Amino acid sequence: MYPERTPHMPVQRAVELHQPTSYPPAAAPIVPVTPGAVPAVASIVLPDGRIVTGYTIHPPQPDSVAAKPAVSRTAVNVALGGIGFLTVCGGLILLTSFIAALTAFITQLITLAAVIFGGWIAVQIFSTHGHKAGGTTVNIRKAVFKRNHFNG
């Protein structure tokens, strides 16, 4: 299916060398073109008798290198640095305000817990739970002694 590999010498071919020939530019007639219209086609007759037809090509305009920006790069960098610095300072002020508010909130929670717990303790101490005020009750053998009083 595939041809067999046989070693052989490379084929030598005759080479023709062509040098470019420069032609003087032919003066094509300049046709005024109105905007939006199709430009005129120019034809050039070469010295060997060939005719080349096509549109005229305008050379590219070089970019203006000397144009400087209205604001220097240093001024832009200083302004951006100032904006960044002010942003960081504002963030630190907000962080400090948040920490102060959080501290005040926690302090209020601790105070509220102390008031509630203290109130609960006061209620436990000063309430009688249905007993007569003043005196300690001790139950011994079904007898109730209430501070020097015997109730039988």
Side-chain angles (χ1 to χ4, degrees), residues 112-129:
L112 179 64
V115 167
I116 291 174
F117 185 68
W120 181 77
I121 290 176
V123 167
Q124 297 299 319
I125 290 174
F126 295 117
S127 70
T128 58
H129 293 292

Side-chain angles (χ1 to χ4, degrees), residues 12-37:
Q12 294 181 356
R13 296 185 180 129
V15 178
E16 292 181 24
L17 184 61
H18 296 279
Q19 293 292 335
T21 307
S22 61
Y23 296 107
I30 298 176
V31 179
V33 178
T34 59

Side-chain angles (χ1 to χ4, degrees), residues 22-92:
S22 61
Y23 296 107
I30 298 176
V31 179
V33 178
T34 59
V38 177
V41 178
S43 296
I44 300 173
V45 179
L46 298 177
D48 61 353
R50 293 181 293 167
I51 299 174
V52 178
T53 304
Y55 298 104
T56 57
I57 299 175
H58 301 288
Q61 299 295 326
D63 295 335
S64 59
V65 178
K68 284 188 170 183
V71 180
S72 69
R73 292 182 189 264
T74 305
V76 171
N77 290 339
V78 168
L80 290 176
I83 291 171
F85 178 75
L86 290 177
T87 303
V88 168
C89 289
L92 289 176

